Amino acid sequence: MCECGSAVRENEDKMGFTRSRFLGGKPSKAPLLLPFLLTVLLVGSQGDGGAMDNGATERIAEESHRQDSAYLLIFIMLLTLTILTIWLFKHRRFRFLHETGLAMIYGLLVGVILRFGIHAPQSMSDVILSCAANGSPATLLVNVSGRFYEYTLKGEVGQGKGHQVQDDEMLRKVTFDPEVFFNILLPPIIFHAGYSLKRRHFFRNIGSILAYAFIGTVISCFVIGLIMYGFVSFMKVVGQLGGDFYFTDCLFFGAIVSATDPVTVLAIFNELKVDVDLYALLFGESVLNDAVAIVLSSSIVAYQPAGDNSHSFEAMAMLKSFGVFLGVFSGSFALGVVTGVVTALVTKFTKLRDFPLLETALFFLMSWSTFLLAEACGFTGVVAVLFCGITQAHYTYNNLSPDSQDRTKQLFELLNFLAENFIFSYMGLTLFSFQSHVFNPLFIVGAFVAVFLGRAANIYPLSFLLNLGRKNKIGYNFQHVMMFAGLRGAMTFALSIRDTATYARQMMFSTTLLIVFFTVWICGGGTTPMLSFMSIPVGVDSDQDNANSGALDGSQRRSTKHESAWPFRIWYNFDHNYLKPLLTHSGPPLTATLPACCGPLARCLTSPQAYENEGQLHDDDSDFILNDASVSSMYADVTVSTDASGSRTVNPKHSSTARAGGGVGSFDEGLDHELSVAEHEVAIRGTRLVLPMDDPVEAPTTVTLPPPPSPPRSEPHRHRL
Amino acid sequence: MCECGSAVRENEDKMGFTRSRFLGGKPSKAPLLLPFLLTVLLVGSQGDGGAMDNGATERIAEESHRQDSAYLLIFIMLLTLTILTIWLFKHRRFRFLHETGLAMIYGLLVGVILRFGIHAPQSMSDVILSCAANGSPATLLVNVSGRFYEYTLKGEVGQGKGHQVQDDEMLRKVTFDPEVFFNILLPPIIFHAGYSLKRRHFFRNIGSILAYAFIGTVISCFVIGLIMYGFVSFMKVVGQLGGDFYFTDCLFFGAIVSATDPVTVLAIFNELKVDVDLYALLFGESVLNDAVAIVLSSSIVAYQPAGDNSHSFEAMAMLKSFGVFLGVFSGSFALGVVTGVVTALVTKFTKLRDFPLLETALFFLMSWSTFLLAEACGFTGVVAVLFCGITQAHYTYNNLSPDSQDRTKQLFELLNFLAENFIFSYMGLTLFSFQSHVFNPLFIVGAFVAVFLGRAANIYPLSFLLNLGRKNKIGYNFQHVMMFAGLRGAMTFALSIRDTATYARQMMFSTTLLIVFFTVWICGGGTTPMLSFMSIPVGVDSDQDNANSGALDGSQRRSTKHESAWPFRIWYNFDHNYLKPLLTHSGPPLTATLPACCGPLARCLTSPQAYENEGQLHDDDSDFILNDASVSSMYADVTVSTDASGSRTVNPKHSSTARAGGGVGSFDEGLDHELSVAEHEVAIRGTRLVLPMDDPVEAPTTVTLPPPPSPPRSEPHRHRL
């Protein structure tokens, strides 16, 4: 009467993270043909029949739920404690330990307590049932007297020690499914990184950032992989290796520890107002190399030479890996951008902005759907989410109502904060709660050396090459700081905990944990001394440094534009002339930029506000910016910036910035500015600030007013001023 | 080599929702002793051994993940579509269909498509393995060639139709674990209800609200239960009943359909500005009766007469149920309040308010931990969260920085919105995707009649009794609207889907779905006509109606206080004199209200701002309020309200309200006001609004200035005005 049926679904997938193929060589040691033999192994008290069955199931489910609640509560309490301590640190201006480092310490403490302090009663395991299964299907249907219960695969437990499994019940309970990191915790962190990107500085250094993130990460991955292969070979010779460790394992290790996460360093940079270019380089690199590392690691896993056990080099497999890398990366990129663009179009062509709640909800759902869509298509959700975030910030953000702009920023800031601190405190916890640690001193030393050299091989040669082309050179002190700031964080951890099935992976995981601890505590804590040692200028206002005066601002922007390489300039013009007008309310109207044949379509797609920007077509940005800067300087203490929809942003004591309206770059700058000074800003709705414009004497004489008398990006209310 | 071990945990639990005991009589029909016999039933292609095993597992897990992503994407798209349509409806001012009704319609459509439109390929189920299990443990460990895979209980699938299980793979995939509603979706909804409670109007009607929520819900539950028992008995006689249906089932049905959810009606009330007392009565009742219904239903489940199968009335079991009700309710209440108080203390005594992000995160985590704590202790998390929300709104909210006040409100508003629409669209979906519907016409008719009569038995007799004691009578038109507005929603659905194992529960679930559809569409849609038919006054400003002038306001507040019963007055004074000063920055200092012996403690616990409120001790509120109202009326168009911490709230065009400072109730009112007019409000930080006070002529002559010249709740800046 009692059956246990398992429905195994074996659809082939092409792109995903197939660690199985990579590990394909291992299980051949196990019996090749699984015996389809089912044995009964009933230990302990046997159930008292049907009546008990239901009740027991219920009670077990409830008990399990209560335990889960209690364990989740531990984490919540941990986070709460972290928050309170962070406040204390911020309050007292301690900079030697960042919140993430703190979260790790608390995690460590709780891990120690759980491991050594608490001994859970073992009465929980009353009945041990055993039956056979070939393979571990994703879903298991257990038939108990005509009722079917569905079980889902949670993951692998201890390896080959079935009798020990019960002993570690509690530690296993506080261990999350690694996929939680990829599906729940990483997406908001990565989206936030994309959404909070300071785009102007990012785009100014786009070439260098791409070089560091793509070429640099690949270099770092291979350098670390080769060094580790050397170490591992040496360990094999001296007999220090307790299991298999292939070259692909080494490369995989190289890929996962190449993802830098300088969240600690950047928080300090932000606080100390370190040079914006350095900030942009580090931030941009770390954001993009997370994406590169995740795709790189899955490509390495997909690298599977024809002979299952050879693990030797093979050109075809290499090419296949490269294909996987390109496919997954470009697919994820495209999906992220497309969802961002769709959101921009929806927010542009509906009047959702009248209902900030709806708008925020839509924004949130669309951003989340990017992740799901990418995962459903077999691409990498995290990468898609990153590019979606950048697209949302670049286009959609402009269409949102000021209220929604605040809400979305604050929402993702909160999600990012919670997810980040959760991951770091979990990291601390796993040092003690994870049950298959393999700490190999030789491997650890080798890994630290390799990580150091890998980072050096990324930064110094690339900086040298980049400096050949850059006008604004990357100084040696900047290079040293970038070298030093290569912390490893959430992404490295998530990638390494994803698969801890084999000896090699367990050793990698344990070593990675130590690398994260070391870099976050030592490198993160040493940032402030490092900055002063390297005499990096601090206290630079990211906006004032190129907006001290209108004239300087204009020339700087012009130089920014000319500084960039031609592909970027082409993109810049395309974005400005076609994409921005199409996707947002800003920019020149499409009717002016598109050829005449597209007239009706262009009229249909252009927002009414865009027509007022027509003057911008005369591509003499600097004049406009001068003009605008001077206009804004007349507002004395309060700068009123009017966006396309009639809502206003009041920004006290920023008279010197060119925020009020403005040309191409100025819009970007205004946005960056909004992102950066959001703390001091506030939106006023429903009031109308009417400022007298009775002091025309202050208008600078250098301004050459353009033919159309209306200032760019203005709207009817502006004229009333 | 191949074993499948299951660790069954059977710790007894005391309080929780034990449907199993209630259903205890059923499984006795099944074979009493489960044969511990394991059979092999391998259908389809058998795995090709060890090497395949790993790869297959991986690919299955990935495939499963991709499918899950795709199905989740369906829901996200559904919500996105709902949002866009809501916007369209709001934009065009359609009021006949609320967003929840809309979400249900979309859910229905998708359900139809999934059910009849799409036929998933059946190639997925290649291998069917069968083994035996006695009982369905929460965790199952499957041993495959030395590796242990953990499986967790997902729930029961189809009943007794093992061969059909594969056919409904897709429909089963879009079916969520019912516990998702209780653990993820309901908490934010219920917390939001508590947090957004308009406390002044709520407390003014607290007696009536408690009567409707507690006595009324119990009456409704028993009336519905008895009527249904009559119907069911009749059905048994005419042979229309296909399974068992006990009296406890009837009572359980009564409990779950007694939870009203007038979210639709209240949205319209809010928009039309319906009378605040009616709003408060309906809102308060629906918020509290959710809590009552959930605890009531679990108590009924706990009602288990000594003889397992008798289902007859028994005094001891009845008493036990009553004990469970009291225990769970008071335990959940206490936990919720305690967490709220702890949060208030933490936010009061730290300076977390300098860092809104940390503050918001702490607030969120503490509120979440209430839920987990209650669940871990065996209480009802949803109820705890409700009272936590009310406590947070009453105390913690005052301690938060203005930025955090906005952030927390917006965060929970968003979570509430998403969760609510998700539940309602899921409701529509389950009408077609749920696979064990039992639609019994007679039962459905009976249920509609019973629900109608149950609601009537709640509202009319109680209103009559309450009117005997109330000065502000509840008119017949109000009673009719309350009767009409008894929609069933998220809580009813969640309670009914929680257990659909037996015939009785399946019939209840199907009937409940229809009741929800009917009430949301018909009653929700008919609210506007109903209001005009009942000649309920609309367009009443919730603040203006008692704040038209200072004098009226003062007298009304006094009457509010005197109107209330003595237990409430005692509580009011205790709250004002001890709790508010202890937990927030407002109120009179504890040094003045506590006896002298507690001096040092009181000094330690009183915040510096409270000393400035000392004047309030002279308990002549009306004078103060008059004074304040007149002061505020001098600000002409802009009312500046200064809270205790030096941050200001500018509220244009509300000159007639008594917001600027104020006495006891005024603070409450100010807060209520802030909650209600938040749309038009905005916080300015960093600027100082200096208004000239050079027009003393306007000060009303009726004001008798109190002995201490400083107005209550003022702070240094105020005097500079």
Side-chain angles (χ1 to χ4, degrees):
Chain A
M1 279 291 111
C2 186
E3 294 166 8
C4 153
S6 69
V8 180
R9 272 163 276 112
E10 301 198 22
N11 288 13
E12 187 74 30
D13 72 305
K14 300 281 174 276
M15 290 296 193
F17 188 86
T18 51
R19 64 182 169 206
S20 55
R21 281 187 220 139
F22 175 45
L23 300 170
K26 190 91 199 305
S28 59
K29 293 189 172 177
L32 271 175
L33 218 75
L34 285 175
F36 304 116
L37 211 165
L38 304 170
T39 51
V40 191
L41 268 177
L42 276 158
V43 182
S45 71
Q46 281 137 22
D48 55 350
M52 167 258 165
D53 158 43
N54 251 316
T57 311
E58 280 310 311
R59 258 170 277 135
I60 292 156
E62 255 180 67
E63 182 57 29
S64 169
H65 171 65
R66 282 173 57 180
Q67 281 185 4
D68 288 347
S69 299
Y71 288 123
L72 197 51
L73 195 62
I74 293 177
F75 284 100
I76 305 290
M77 286 296 136
L78 211 65
L79 286 183
T80 311
L81 206 65
T82 310
I83 288 173
L84 288 177
T85 324
I86 293 168
W87 162 71
L88 209 69
F89 274 42
K90 286 203 172 186
H91 191 60
R92 305 223 178 277
R93 299 189 182 282
F94 291 156
R95 286 206 189 100
F96 63 89
L97 193 58
H98 185 249
E99 56 204 53
T100 50
L102 206 66
M104 284 201 303
I105 292 177
Y106 280 126
L108 270 180
L109 292 178
V110 173
V112 170
I113 293 169
L114 286 183
R115 181 74 182 243
F116 304 109
I118 299 175
H119 289 284
Q122 292 303 317
S123 65
M124 297 187 292
S125 38
D126 282 343
V127 180
I128 292 181
L129 245 187
S130 286
C131 67
N134 72 322
S136 49
T139 341
L140 206 67
L141 295 175
V142 182
N143 180 349
V144 184
S145 57
R147 291 159 151 250
F148 279 79
Y149 293 95
E150 187 179 11
Y151 285 82
T152 41
L153 181 63
K154 202 177 166 192
E156 202 181 342
V157 195
Q159 211 186 1
K161 22 183 172 172
H163 57 286
Q164 282 182 22
V165 166
Q166 265 73 43
D167 299 327
D168 321 298
E169 182 68 30
M170 194 185 54
L171 291 181
R172 209 157 46 76
K173 270 272 185 184
V174 295
T175 305
F176 283 81
D177 180 357
E179 295 302 313
V180 165
F181 296 101
F182 278 87
N183 299 325
I184 297 171
L185 296 172
L186 275 187
I189 296 179
I190 302 291
F191 183 87
H192 179 73
Y195 196 52
S196 65
L197 207 70
K198 297 200 172 196
R199 286 185 315 292
R200 188 161 61 92
H201 299 292
F202 176 78
F203 283 121
R204 195 161 68 175
N205 295 294
I206 187 83
S208 310
I209 289 171
L210 287 177
Y212 286 125
F214 281 81
I215 307 171
T217 307
V218 173
I219 291 175
S220 162
C221 166
F222 277 90
V223 167
I224 294 174
L226 286 170
I227 295 174
M228 287 321 292
Y229 192 61
F231 263 93
V232 166
S233 305
F234 173 71
M235 281 160 69
K236 248 181 212 154
V237 171
V238 299
Q240 283 282 309
L241 205 64
D244 290 330
F245 210 108
Y246 301 107
F247 182 60
T248 39
D249 287 316
C250 296
L251 276 187
F252 183 79
F253 183 72
I256 64 175
V257 296
S258 292
T260 59
D261 178 13
V263 57
T264 313
V265 176
L266 292 181
I268 294 168
F269 276 28
N270 226 349
E271 212 172 314
L272 296 179
K273 295 193 191 306
V274 171
D275 185 276
V276 281
D277 281 318
L278 181 57
Y279 186 97
L281 284 175
L282 260 178
F283 186 74
E285 186 215 345
S286 74
V287 162
L288 287 180
N289 78 5
D290 278 356
V292 174
I294 191 174
V295 182
L296 201 59
S297 63
S298 72
S299 313
I300 289 168
V301 166
Y303 173 85
Q304 176 95 18
D308 217 14
N309 296 328
S310 65
H311 284 271
S312 59
F313 183 80
E314 203 171 289
M316 271 314 291
M318 185 76 192
L319 272 180
K320 189 186 152 208
S321 273
F322 190 68
V324 169
F325 179 86
L326 281 188
V328 171
F329 200 92
S330 54
S332 310
F333 175 83
L335 267 182
V337 170
V338 164
T339 344
V341 164
V342 169
T343 318
L345 286 175
V346 168
T347 46
K348 183 186 172 187
F349 288 108
T350 62
K351 285 215 174 67
L352 264 181
R353 50 182 299 134
D354 298 338
F355 306 97
L357 175 64
L358 295 184
E359 206 178 30
T360 311
L362 183 93
F363 187 90
F364 176 77
L365 290 176
M366 290 297 288
S367 304
W368 189 14
S369 70
T370 309
F371 177 82
L372 294 173
L373 198 63
E375 292 286 317
C377 296
F379 297 122
T380 311
V382 173
V383 177
V385 148
L386 168 66
F387 292 106
C388 176
I390 296 176
T391 316
Q392 302 279 40
H394 198 57
Y395 300 115
T396 314
Y397 188 84
N398 302 335
N399 299 339
L400 298 180
S401 64
D403 197 10
S404 294
Q405 290 181 345
D406 282 349
R407 284 181 183 218
T408 51
K409 268 191 299 183
Q410 290 170 354
L411 175 69
F412 285 106
E413 195 186 0
L414 179 69
L415 291 178
N416 169 64
F417 177 83
L418 291 176
E420 206 169 73
N421 282 292
F422 184 87
I423 288 190
F424 277 89
S425 66
Y426 187 72
M427 252 184 242
L429 192 82
T430 38
L431 190 62
F432 288 96
S433 73
F434 186 68
Q435 297 176 54
S436 323
H437 272 306
V438 178
F439 289 111
N440 188 321
L442 211 56
F443 188 83
I444 292 167
V445 170
F448 270 85
V449 171
V451 164
F452 181 81
L453 293 179
R455 182 78 188 159
N458 172 355
I459 299 298
Y460 294 115
L462 278 181
S463 303
F464 176 77
L465 291 176
L466 288 171
N467 275 342
L468 296 180
R470 277 177 77 101
K471 278 182 187 161
N472 177 17
K473 308 287 184 204
I474 301 166
Y476 281 113
N477 53 352
F478 278 29
Q479 294 178 29
H480 295 323
V481 170
M482 288 185 73
M483 170 78 206
F484 186 77
L487 311 195
R488 298 342 191 241
M491 181 57 84
T492 301
F493 174 76
L495 282 172
S496 68
I497 204 178
R498 198 166 198 178
D499 181 2
T500 52
T502 62
Y503 171 81
R505 293 298 174 96
Q506 285 162 5
M507 198 157 73
M508 276 185 218
F509 175 63
S510 307
T511 310
T512 305
L513 265 190
L514 294 183
I515 291 173
V516 172
F517 287 156
F518 179 83
T519 54
V520 169
W521 284 334
I522 307 299
C523 299
T527 306
T528 320
M530 182 77 183
L531 285 176
S532 60
F533 182 71
M534 286 295 161
S535 56
I536 303 278
V538 295
V540 183
D541 188 338
S542 72
D543 297 289
Q544 280 182 350
D545 79 326
N546 358 11
N548 282 331
S549 79
L552 179 60
D553 188 38
S555 66
Q556 276 223 358
R557 184 167 302 105
R558 204 158 34 190
S559 76
T560 301
K561 209 171 150 187
H562 291 289
E563 206 174 76
S564 317
W566 60 268
F568 178 61
R569 271 196 305 249
I570 290 174
W571 156 251
Y572 187 88
N573 286 329
F574 179 70
D575 181 46
H576 171 242
N577 289 336
Y578 303 104
L579 290 183
K580 281 219 161 181
L582 174 65
L583 301 174
T584 71
H585 297 295
S586 69
L590 280 173
T591 43
T593 55
L594 279 179
C597 59
C598 312
L601 185 71
R603 257 191 299 283
C604 176
L605 293 174
T606 303
S607 89
Q609 288 95 338
Y611 289 105
E612 288 158 21
N613 306 333
E614 207 155 358
Q616 282 182 321
L617 265 188
H618 308 270
D619 198 30
D620 198 351
D621 282 354
S622 62
D623 276 357
F624 272 92
I625 290 147
L626 266 172
N627 175 35
D628 265 54
S630 63
V631 166
S632 78
S633 75
M634 280 189 284
Y635 296 133
D637 232 348
V638 181
T639 314
V640 179
S641 128
T642 329
D643 84 3
S645 67
S647 51
R648 274 153 228 78
T649 340
V650 172
N651 181 31
K653 290 180 190 171
H654 269 275
S655 60
S656 56
T657 60
R659 295 196 66 232
V664 188
S666 174
F667 193 16
D668 249 354
E669 184 187 43
L671 258 160
D672 273 346
H673 192 184
E674 271 172 35
L675 283 164
S676 62
V677 297
E679 296 288 309
H680 312 289
E681 270 189 33
V682 110
I684 288 193
R685 275 152 286 131
T687 21
R688 200 166 272 177
L689 259 144
V690 183
L691 297 171
M693 207 172 164
D694 55 359
D695 201 356
V697 192
E698 275 189 35
T701 48
T702 53
V703 178
T704 47
L705 280 170
S710 64
R713 275 197 69 256
S714 70
E715 50 124 357
H717 300 303
R718 167 64 58 80
H719 300 297
R720 276 185 227 147
L721 295 176
Chain B
M1 276 294 108
C2 187
E3 294 165 10
C4 153
S6 70
V8 180
R9 271 163 276 112
E10 300 197 22
N11 288 13
E12 189 73 30
D13 71 304
K14 299 284 175 271
M15 291 293 193
F17 189 86
T18 51
R19 64 182 172 209
S20 55
R21 279 185 222 141
F22 177 45
L23 299 169
K26 189 92 199 304
S28 59
K29 294 190 172 176
L32 271 175
L33 219 76
L34 284 175
F36 304 117
L37 212 165
L38 304 168
T39 49
V40 191
L41 267 177
L42 275 158
V43 182
S45 70
Q46 280 136 23
D48 54 351
M52 166 257 164
D53 158 43
N54 250 317
T57 311
E58 279 309 311
R59 256 170 279 136
I60 292 157
E62 256 179 68
E63 183 56 30
S64 169
H65 171 66
R66 281 173 57 178
Q67 279 185 6
D68 289 346
S69 300
Y71 288 123
L72 197 50
L73 195 61
I74 293 177
F75 284 100
I76 305 291
M77 286 295 136
L78 212 64
L79 287 183
T80 311
L81 206 64
T82 310
I83 288 173
L84 289 177
T85 325
I86 292 168
W87 162 72
L88 210 68
F89 273 42
K90 288 204 172 189
H91 191 59
R92 304 223 179 278
R93 297 188 185 282
F94 291 156
R95 284 207 190 99
F96 63 89
L97 192 58
H98 186 248
E99 56 204 50
T100 50
L102 205 67
M104 284 202 301
I105 293 177
Y106 280 126
L108 270 180
L109 292 179
V110 172
V112 170
I113 293 169
L114 286 183
R115 181 75 181 243
F116 304 109
I118 299 174
H119 290 284
Q122 291 303 316
S123 63
M124 296 186 292
S125 40
D126 281 344
V127 181
I128 292 183
L129 246 187
S130 285
C131 66
N134 71 321
S136 48
T139 343
L140 205 68
L141 295 175
V142 182
N143 180 349
V144 184
S145 56
R147 288 158 155 254
F148 280 79
Y149 294 94
E150 187 180 10
Y151 284 82
T152 43
L153 180 63
K154 204 178 165 189
E156 202 182 341
V157 195
Q159 210 186 0
K161 21 183 173 173
H163 57 287
Q164 281 181 23
V165 166
Q166 264 74 45
D167 299 327
D168 323 296
E169 180 68 29
M170 195 184 54
L171 291 182
R172 209 158 45 74
K173 270 273 182 183
V174 295
T175 305
F176 282 81
D177 180 357
E179 295 302 313
V180 164
F181 296 102
F182 278 87
N183 300 324
I184 296 171
L185 296 173
L186 275 187
I189 295 179
I190 302 291
F191 183 87
H192 179 73
Y195 195 52
S196 65
L197 207 70
K198 296 199 170 197
R199 286 184 315 291
R200 189 160 62 93
H201 300 292
F202 177 77
F203 284 121
R204 195 161 67 175
N205 295 294
I206 186 84
S208 310
I209 289 170
L210 288 177
Y212 287 124
F214 281 82
I215 307 171
T217 306
V218 173
I219 291 175
S220 162
C221 166
F222 278 90
V223 167
I224 294 174
L226 287 170
I227 296 174
M228 287 322 292
Y229 192 61
F231 264 93
V232 165
S233 304
F234 174 71
M235 282 160 68
K236 248 181 212 155
V237 170
V238 299
Q240 283 282 310
L241 204 63
D244 290 330
F245 210 106
Y246 301 108
F247 181 61
T248 39
D249 286 317
C250 295
L251 276 187
F252 183 80
F253 183 71
I256 62 174
V257 296
S258 292
T260 59
D261 178 14
V263 57
T264 312
V265 176
L266 293 181
I268 294 168
F269 275 28
N270 226 349
E271 211 172 315
L272 295 179
K273 294 192 192 306
V274 172
D275 184 276
V276 281
D277 280 318
L278 181 58
Y279 187 97
L281 284 176
L282 260 178
F283 187 73
E285 186 216 345
S286 73
V287 162
L288 287 180
N289 78 4
D290 278 357
V292 174
I294 190 173
V295 182
L296 200 60
S297 62
S298 72
S299 314
I300 289 168
V301 167
Y303 173 85
Q304 177 95 19
D308 217 14
N309 296 327
S310 65
H311 284 273
S312 60
F313 183 81
E314 203 171 289
M316 271 314 291
M318 185 77 192
L319 271 180
K320 190 187 152 205
S321 271
F322 190 69
V324 168
F325 179 86
L326 281 189
V328 171
F329 201 92
S330 55
S332 310
F333 174 83
L335 267 181
V337 170
V338 164
T339 346
V341 164
V342 168
T343 317
L345 286 175
V346 168
T347 45
K348 182 186 172 190
F349 288 108
T350 61
K351 286 216 175 65
L352 263 180
R353 50 182 300 133
D354 299 338
F355 306 97
L357 175 63
L358 295 184
E359 206 178 27
T360 311
L362 183 93
F363 187 91
F364 177 77
L365 290 176
M366 290 298 288
S367 305
W368 190 14
S369 70
T370 309
F371 178 82
L372 293 173
L373 198 62
E375 292 286 317
C377 296
F379 297 121
T380 311
V382 173
V383 177
V385 149
L386 168 65
F387 292 105
C388 176
I390 296 176
T391 316
Q392 302 280 38
H394 198 57
Y395 301 115
T396 315
Y397 187 85
N398 302 334
N399 299 339
L400 298 179
S401 63
D403 196 9
S404 293
Q405 291 181 345
D406 282 350
R407 282 180 184 221
T408 51
K409 267 190 299 184
Q410 290 170 355
L411 175 69
F412 286 106
E413 194 187 1
L414 179 70
L415 292 179
N416 169 65
F417 176 83
L418 291 176
E420 206 169 72
N421 282 293
F422 184 88
I423 288 190
F424 278 89
S425 66
Y426 186 73
M427 252 184 241
L429 192 82
T430 38
L431 190 63
F432 289 96
S433 73
F434 185 69
Q435 296 176 53
S436 322
H437 273 303
V438 179
F439 289 108
N440 187 320
L442 212 55
F443 188 83
I444 291 167
V445 170
F448 271 85
V449 171
V451 164
F452 181 80
L453 292 180
R455 183 77 188 158
N458 171 356
I459 298 298
Y460 295 116
L462 276 181
S463 302
F464 176 76
L465 291 176
L466 287 170
N467 275 342
L468 296 179
R470 277 177 76 101
K471 279 183 185 160
N472 179 18
K473 308 285 184 205
I474 302 165
Y476 282 114
N477 53 352
F478 278 29
Q479 294 178 28
H480 295 322
V481 169
M482 288 184 73
M483 169 79 205
F484 186 78
L487 311 193
R488 288 6 182 226
M491 179 59 82
T492 300
F493 173 77
L495 281 172
S496 69
I497 204 178
R498 197 168 198 179
D499 181 2
T500 51
T502 64
Y503 171 82
R505 294 299 175 95
Q506 285 162 5
M507 199 158 71
M508 276 186 219
F509 175 64
S510 307
T511 311
T512 305
L513 265 190
L514 295 183
I515 292 174
V516 173
F517 287 155
F518 179 83
T519 54
V520 168
W521 285 334
I522 307 299
C523 299
T527 305
T528 320
M530 182 76 183
L531 284 176
S532 59
F533 182 71
M534 288 294 159
S535 57
I536 303 278
V538 295
V540 182
D541 189 336
S542 72
D543 298 289
Q544 280 183 350
D545 80 325
N546 358 11
N548 282 330
S549 77
L552 180 59
D553 188 39
S555 66
Q556 275 222 359
R557 184 167 302 105
R558 205 159 31 193
S559 75
T560 299
K561 209 173 150 186
H562 291 290
E563 205 174 78
S564 317
W566 59 266
F568 178 61
R569 271 198 305 252
I570 290 175
W571 156 252
Y572 188 89
N573 286 329
F574 178 72
D575 180 46
H576 172 241
N577 288 335
Y578 304 104
L579 290 182
K580 280 220 161 179
L582 175 65
L583 300 173
T584 70
H585 295 296
S586 70
L590 281 173
T591 43
T593 56
L594 278 179
C597 60
C598 311
L601 186 70
R603 258 192 298 283
C604 176
L605 293 174
T606 303
S607 88
Q609 287 96 336
Y611 289 106
E612 287 158 22
N613 307 331
E614 209 155 356
Q616 281 182 322
L617 267 187
H618 309 268
D619 197 31
D620 198 351
D621 283 354
S622 62
D623 277 356
F624 272 92
I625 290 146
L626 267 172
N627 176 36
D628 265 55
S630 64
V631 166
S632 78
S633 75
M634 281 189 285
Y635 296 132
D637 232 347
V638 181
T639 314
V640 179
S641 130
T642 331
D643 83 3
S645 66
S647 49
R648 277 153 225 79
T649 341
V650 173
N651 181 31
K653 290 178 191 172
H654 269 275
S655 60
S656 57
T657 60
R659 296 196 65 234
V664 188
S666 172
F667 192 16
D668 250 353
E669 184 188 45
L671 259 159
D672 273 344
H673 191 184
E674 271 172 35
L675 284 163
S676 62
V677 297
E679 297 287 310
H680 314 288
E681 271 189 32
V682 109
I684 288 193
R685 277 153 283 132
T687 22
R688 199 166 273 179
L689 259 142
V690 183
L691 297 171
M693 207 175 164
D694 54 358
D695 201 357
V697 191
E698 276 187 36
T701 47
T702 54
V703 178
T704 48
L705 280 169
S710 63
R713 275 198 69 254
S714 69
E715 50 124 356
H717 302 303
R718 166 65 55 81
H719 300 296
R720 277 185 227 147
L721 295 176

